[in-house]
Amino acid sequence: MILISFDIDGTLEVGDPPGVLTMDMVRMVVGDGFLIGSCSDRPMSAQRAIWEAHDIPYDFVIPKHMLADVKAKFEADRYFHVGDREDLDKKYALEAGFEFLWPDEAAAMPWFATKDSSDA
Amino acid sequence: MATQLAPESMYRNDEGMGIWEHRGKVAAVGVGHSPTARRWDGKAETSVGAWSILALRRAIEDAGVSPDQVDGLVIVPVTTTGAFWPEDTPVPMDIVNSFNRTGDPLDGIAQLSSEWLLNNMPELTNVNFTMYGAGCMSNALNVASQAIGDGLTHTCLVLKAWHNLEGRYYQSGANAHDAIPGTAALKSLWGAPACYGTALQFAEYCRKYGKTHDMMAPFMTNSRRNGLMFPEGYWAQHRPEELTAEDYEYARWIAKPANLFDNDIPIMMAGAYLFTTAERAQDMKQKPVYILNHASSNAMPRSLTPTLDEVEAETAKTGRKIYEGAGITAADLSFENMYDGFTEFHQFHIEGLGYRGIKFGEALDFYQTDISIEGPNPVSPSGGNIGSGRSRVWLHTDSIQQLQGRAGARQVTGVKPEIAVSGGPMPLGGNYTVWSATPD
């Protein structure tokens, strides 16, 4: 089981500024059974609203400094946080025991590789 | 002759000055706002200069006057508190040269001058009075009010604009250097975040009066609610997100006990008003809103950060000055729009006013009651900077619009809007305006 925590601004396409990770990419990992959610300075109510507006089921929303609570709550083999800030993403991720990925690194992960249509 | 900063003699800094000599003889009529943005996108049409021109033209149109009737311009030349043009970044000369520039290429990009505005607003053919207010719209309003009262101008535009650039706020300009001369180094270079001083005062406030940070939550949710009904504001335009008590209480600390949402979000915007004499206002398009008084605080703290005792002494003094010059009492206020960007000094301001009879240490309890626009005790119906982004303008626009009866969904309904007060920013060092629906 893999858990991915997404920062929003500068990381997801719906962020301000927009990031490189599209909501379709998120849907892809949700479809593959990953645990996903957001960890952002945006209000938790606003984080929920984003997922619901895009009809993406989510497992958690959390403020940046409370990422460790996610690890405590969810059982997974690997925990990733994707974000664009050294001080607010990488720092909190490593402190919480997550592996950290910059958005472009995350976009290159095999999870997001487009599935060959011949597999269908 | 270059435009000058307003002299100290234009401000009403002292107690015992009596009723303002121009009480009810100056009026606000027109309001103009630009759009808002989180940061500048580098285009000429969204530069702080372009948006300033837009806001000024909208204020003129809103007042229903022709540009050649305008004879005064009072602006704040500084357009940021923390997003200074990086020294190693070339100024985009294609943008600079797309306007009628001045000798300073940053004019219209990261600052303003009256010369630049007049160069780019050829329709303002009769402006013969220009003056600068320092820092805030609150200051510029005091200057414009006094200038009109004194007969220096009869139809005066007042402007405050903000730019915001990529990067972190307060990290550029002098703060990016290895050294800053003077005591500023202790705060700006080696010190804590900007909200630290206010957080320190708030911590002492909570200790002294037995209050908690969570008691701010109703004020925060109310302010954001009001801001989302402010169509000119950032949150309403770009991110119509409510702020719940849970959102507020779980936010990370910036300088404990001030958290992320106790700090306002830096944005780009421009706001402008058209001020005139009470007589001329009668023939204009909008209902006049009369100025009963302006008052200022020029107090200096004894040290780097004012103590709670100093804050309370000064806000009480400011309250007395506000009421004395306007010839009113706290009981006459329909609502208040005191500054909130940092949130944790709003209660200092309204306790100093004695708004609705509250005393020092009582504001957070007051926040637990009905402070909505529908109730009898509206608190910050503008939503302030918390509701609409860092501008220090919403509080004034809202006061004018409420008294004109055109605040839309934000219109107060629990009280009849007759007299209001707005101003800030800091408890020590601020400027305030008393607004009225009638001249007396």
Side-chain angles (χ1 to χ4, degrees):
Chain A
M1 175 65 70
I2 294 176
L3 180 149
I4 308 177
S5 156
F6 294 96
D7 169 45
I8 296 174
D9 297 314
T11 298
L12 293 177
E13 64 174 331
V14 296
D16 179 14
V20 298
L21 299 180
T22 66
M23 300 309 262
D24 279 343
M25 294 166 84
V26 178
R27 286 190 187 91
M28 193 180 292
V29 293
V30 169
D32 287 342
F34 287 31
L35 295 167
I36 69 102
S38 49
C39 173
S40 166
D41 270 342
R42 293 207 184 199
M44 288 189 288
S45 60
Q47 295 183 45
R48 292 186 193 103
I50 288 172
W51 294 123
E52 286 158 13
H54 290 83
D55 201 21
I56 296 177
Y58 59 96
D59 298 292
F60 59 89
V61 295
I62 200 82
K64 296 244 189 193
H65 63 298
M66 295 174 66
L67 192 55
D69 289 9
V70 173
K71 193 169 187 187
K73 183 174 179 182
F74 295 96
E75 190 75 31
D77 299 312
R78 297 184 73 178
Y79 298 85
F80 290 93
H81 175 69
V82 186
D84 70 327
R85 288 276 295 267
E86 179 82 27
D87 53 349
L88 293 176
D89 290 301
K90 186 175 180 180
K91 172 176 173 286
Y92 284 124
L94 298 181
E95 284 178 1
F98 279 57
E99 296 175 64
F100 174 74
L101 296 171
W102 298 104
D104 58 332
E105 291 176 335
M109 293 296 280
W111 324 315
F112 295 131
T114 304
K115 293 179 176 62
D116 190 325
S117 58
S118 63
D119 293 342
Chain B
M1 182 178 165
T3 301
Q4 302 292 312
L5 267 174
E8 274 298 295
S9 59
M10 293 193 80
Y11 300 95
R12 292 173 58 80
N13 290 316
D14 301 316
E15 291 186 79
M17 297 179 75
I19 299 279
W20 183 39
E21 66 270 26
H22 307 305
R23 180 186 191 272
K25 297 173 185 169
V26 178
V29 182
V31 176
H33 275 255
S34 73
T36 63
R38 180 76 171 93
R39 293 183 172 88
W40 187 35
D41 60 9
K43 297 175 182 171
E45 62 268 27
T46 53
S47 65
V48 72
W51 277 7
S52 295
I53 294 169
L54 179 63
L56 289 165
R57 286 179 173 153
R58 285 178 173 175
I60 294 169
E61 182 183 1
D62 190 53
V65 303
S66 63
D68 62 359
Q69 289 177 264
V70 176
D71 72 339
L73 178 64
V74 174
I75 71 164
V76 179
V78 175
T79 55
T80 188
T81 55
F84 304 100
W85 191 267
E87 292 174 10
D88 58 354
T89 301
V91 177
M93 294 310 294
D94 56 330
I95 305 293
V96 173
N97 291 325
S98 68
F99 295 95
N100 296 314
R101 58 171 294 187
T102 65
D104 190 332
L106 287 179
D107 265 356
I109 302 294
Q111 64 188 39
L112 290 170
S113 68
S114 55
E115 180 189 5
W116 188 92
L117 287 166
L118 293 174
N119 283 351
N120 289 284
M121 296 184 72
E123 69 270 37
L124 296 178
T125 53
N126 288 316
V127 171
N128 52 39
F129 171 81
T130 60
M131 191 162 275
Y132 292 146
C136 292
M137 177 64 96
S138 298
N139 188 305
L141 292 180
N142 287 190
V143 175
S145 298
Q146 192 64 38
I148 290 173
D150 289 346
L152 301 172
T153 167
H154 56 68
T155 306
C156 184
L157 290 166
V158 197
L159 172 78
K160 170 65 186 179
W162 293 80
H163 74 266
N164 192 29
L165 308 172
E166 283 187 15
R168 295 186 64 192
Y169 214 66
Y170 291 123
Q171 305 290 312
S172 56
N175 293 349
H177 291 184
D178 292 332
I180 300 176
T183 54
L186 297 174
K187 293 178 74 173
S188 302
L189 195 59
W190 304 317
C195 65
Y196 167 76
T198 301
L200 200 64
Q201 293 153 13
F202 185 76
E204 172 60 6
Y205 178 93
C206 289
R207 187 204 63 78
K208 181 177 179 180
Y209 297 114
K211 308 304 175 190
T212 65
H213 181 263
D214 286 356
M215 294 178 75
M216 290 285 289
F219 170 70
M220 301 297 295
T221 57
N222 182 64
S223 292
R224 180 63 67 83
R225 174 184 182 244
N226 292 344
L228 293 177
M229 294 186 282
F230 213 140
E232 295 90 340
Y234 173 79
W235 294 106
Q237 289 179 1
H238 300 283
R239 286 170 55 180
E241 306 165 354
E242 64 174 346
L243 185 70
T244 67
E246 178 199 41
D247 295 330
Y248 179 63
E249 291 163 10
Y250 281 93
R252 64 186 168 87
W253 299 117
I254 301 298
K256 191 176 181 179
N259 74 17
L260 184 68
F261 299 119
D262 290 314
N263 293 260
D264 46 344
I265 189 169
I267 60 168
M268 290 195 62
M269 65 83 67
Y273 309 118
L274 189 136
F275 273 35
T276 187
T277 64
E279 293 79 14
R280 285 176 181 261
Q282 304 308 314
D283 300 324
M284 294 185 185
K285 194 166 131 188
Q286 308 297 344
K287 180 179 185 294
V289 175
Y290 301 91
I291 315 300
L292 295 187
N293 186 26
H294 66 87
S296 298
S297 158
N298 61 354
M300 295 290 290
R302 290 170 295 177
S303 186
L304 291 173
T305 296
T307 64
L308 178 63
D309 287 346
E310 287 178 294
V311 165
E312 292 185 338
E314 189 59 20
T315 56
K317 186 176 178 183
T318 295
R320 292 193 297 271
K321 284 186 277 190
I322 285 169
Y323 297 137
E324 178 192 356
I328 63 170
T329 70
D332 294 310
L333 291 177
S334 308
F335 57 88
E336 62 81 23
N337 263 318
M338 301 295 268
Y339 188 55
D340 69 336
F342 306 116
T343 64
E344 291 175 346
F345 51 57
H346 191 79
Q347 81 282 348
F348 297 143
H349 283 304
I350 67 171
E351 288 175 357
L353 286 175
Y355 180 63
R356 294 297 189 269
I358 60 173
K359 299 178 175 59
F360 288 115
E362 295 181 355
L364 269 57
D365 292 315
F366 187 64
Y367 288 169
Q368 314 309 308
T369 68
D370 183 1
I371 57 172
S372 73
I373 55 171
E374 293 87 2
N377 306 313
V379 166
S380 192
S382 68
N385 280 22
I386 299 308
S388 289
R390 184 178 186 79
S391 80
R392 302 176 176 172
V393 171
W394 317 113
L395 60 176
H396 307 301
T397 296
D398 181 72
S399 296
I400 296 168
Q401 291 179 337
Q402 294 282 359
L403 296 183
Q404 288 177 327
R406 54 180 186 142
R410 217 175 55 256
Q411 187 73 46
V412 294
T413 56
V415 294
K416 184 179 179 185
E418 294 176 310
I419 295 178
V421 61
S422 60
M426 307 303 283
L428 274 74
N431 306 90
Y432 308 88
T433 299
V434 182
W435 314 86
S436 175
T438 60
D440 48 15

